[in-house]
Amino acid sequence: MHSFGYRANAVVTLAVTILAVMCSMASLSDNFNVPSPTAEVKVLNINWFQKQANGNDEVSLTLNISADLSSLFTWNTKQVFVFIAAEYETPQNALNQVSLWDGIIPSKDHAKFWIHTTNKYRLIDQGSNLRGKEFNLTLHWHVMPKTGKMFADKIVMTGYRLPEEYR
Amino acid sequence: MIVTSALIIWKGLMCVTGSESPVVVVLSGSMEPGFKRGDILFLHMSKDPIRAGEIVVFHVDGREIPIVHRVIKVHERQDTGEVDILTKGDNNFGDDRLLYAHGQLWLQRHHIMGRAVGFLPYVGWVTIIMTEKPIIKYLLIGALGLLVITSKE
């Protein structure tokens, strides 16, 4: 009952339990943070808009993205993963979400940013439904903590529209 | 004591999250700097539809190793609700089509084992060491066996 082995076992178990409790408390403290991020995305240019050989529409856009995500950061935040997705509906598909651009914000200093970019990932439809299509641009963020629960949310921006004709 | 409480927690997690494998160890650096090799991820599988941005764990047909990457494209059918999904590791240059089975362009719901909802750093190294250097596993089991035999009670 009082051997070295038994005592070492008890100490290590207690240490691991306390560590686990501290990690969950760190994670719980994130729930008290009320984020208030802002974002604005402008489509500056439709670079080209074509139907591929396999029948799928593809469009290339240049975007201007400005956002302030600094209210998402807490002491338990390791990084924030942010991405912009185009969302639209077609007769065949109830929902299409295509990520156009993503980035990693490593710290609060980088959380207020402005970027001018073409889409990092290709916007290709399943089919040929994009002419004149109205779509939303959503800015999603994913808060990745140093330990514990991850949080994700988004801002939906509506009112974007693709051209009626290919170019 | 640690081993038994770890086992209890593992089984408890299996019940709570409703999945067969509620905890996964990150094996590669393809999701850095968010997840590093040796971190563990807590998984949860619900009937909610899969949406872009979620970090999912999936199996490629014919391969055992689960892959943990982020969903970047979703196409959901009107009538059946079935989805085509494309994933990509945050730290990879291209999407995962190179990893999928030959000729496979999309993942479907049945490939997905769960979503990552929480994360603990470094704890997974124990599993990685035991898998990659099995001698340590045998040493540990041998030592535990010796402890059981030689304890006085």
Side-chain angles (χ1 to χ4, degrees):
Chain A
M1 214 48 200
H2 300 294
S3 70
F4 172 75
Y6 194 87
R7 284 175 177 163
N9 193 351
V11 167
V12 173
T13 308
L14 186 63
V16 171
T17 312
I18 291 183
L19 194 59
V21 168
M22 278 172 38
C23 283
S24 22
M25 282 186 1
S27 180
L28 278 173
S29 76
D30 274 345
N31 289 351
F32 292 114
N33 183 34
V34 180
S36 54
T38 60
E40 197 190 326
V41 180
K42 293 201 214 17
V43 177
L44 287 179
N45 190 30
I46 305 282
N47 305 329
W48 46 265
F49 183 10
Q50 290 292 317
K51 183 171 177 166
Q52 295 176 341
N54 57 20
N56 295 332
D57 281 348
E58 181 175 350
V59 59
S60 163
L61 325 111
T62 302
L63 302 167
N64 188 348
I65 305 163
S66 65
D68 180 1
L69 300 175
S70 40
S71 62
L72 295 173
F73 279 83
T74 68
W75 64 283
N76 188 29
T77 304
K78 189 193 318 185
Q79 68 178 38
V80 172
F81 184 89
V82 59
F83 70 97
I84 305 252
E87 290 182 6
Y88 60 94
E89 189 182 338
T90 61
Q92 187 198 350
N93 290 340
L95 175 66
N96 298 281
Q97 289 178 314
V98 180
S99 173
L100 298 177
W101 170 85
D102 54 34
I104 291 178
I105 305 177
S107 70
K108 200 161 173 162
D109 305 330
H110 297 96
K112 201 162 150 122
F113 64 94
W114 181 99
I115 178 170
H116 185 124
T117 174
T118 50
N119 48 315
K120 204 169 164 184
Y121 305 115
R122 302 167 70 183
L123 175 49
I124 303 178
D125 188 27
Q126 284 187 334
S128 179
N129 305 298
L130 292 184
R131 275 162 294 175
K133 176 62 74 184
E134 285 180 11
F135 63 101
N136 292 343
L137 284 177
T138 45
L139 181 103
H140 295 244
W141 60 86
H142 202 150
V143 179
M144 293 159 90
K146 296 199 174 97
T147 164
K149 184 163 174 276
M150 300 191 281
F151 296 89
D153 205 347
K154 61 187 181 187
I155 295 179
V156 180
M157 293 162 279
T158 58
Y160 301 92
R161 198 185 166 96
L162 286 173
E164 301 288 342
E165 295 299 322
Y166 293 130
R167 33 170 118 151
Chain B
M1 254 188 280
I2 282 199
V3 175
T4 34
S5 25
L7 202 60
I8 294 174
I9 292 176
W10 175 271
K11 292 291 177 195
L13 270 177
M14 269 175 67
C15 288
V16 165
T17 64
S19 86
E20 285 181 5
S21 185
V23 176
V24 196
V25 178
V26 176
L27 295 170
S28 74
S30 57
M31 287 291 283
E32 289 197 13
F35 302 144
K36 296 194 170 39
R37 198 168 129 84
D39 295 340
I40 48 175
L41 294 173
F42 294 101
L43 306 183
H44 185 68
M45 194 63 206
S46 70
K47 296 241 176 353
D48 294 340
I50 310 240
R51 291 286 173 253
E54 294 178 346
I55 300 183
V56 294
V57 180
F58 62 92
H59 274 122
V60 177
D61 292 329
R63 308 231 183 105
E64 287 179 0
I65 305 182
I67 304 183
V68 186
H69 282 167
R70 193 183 297 272
V71 174
I72 60 167
K73 292 192 186 176
V74 172
H75 292 283
E76 181 178 300
R77 298 271 174 279
Q78 290 270 14
D79 39 5
T80 60
E82 283 172 19
V83 280
D84 284 336
I85 290 166
L86 181 61
T87 56
K88 174 180 172 289
D90 290 347
N91 204 24
N92 288 349
F93 183 71
D95 57 43
D96 288 346
R97 290 213 165 109
L98 292 173
L99 293 174
Y100 297 166
H102 188 68
Q104 181 185 3
L105 290 176
W106 304 97
L107 287 178
Q108 273 81 42
R109 178 108 196 182
H110 64 87
H111 292 107
I112 312 276
M113 281 162 53
R115 290 182 185 85
V117 295
F119 146 90
L120 268 183
Y122 306 121
V123 180
W125 272 111
V126 177
T127 312
I128 291 185
I129 294 174
M130 299 229 278
T131 318
E132 296 191 356
K133 295 197 172 19
I135 183 100
I136 300 204
K137 188 162 49 170
Y138 300 140
L139 275 175
L140 214 58
I141 297 189
L144 275 171
L146 264 175
L147 265 174
V148 169
I149 296 174
T150 59
S151 70
K152 296 213 173 85
E153 279 85 23

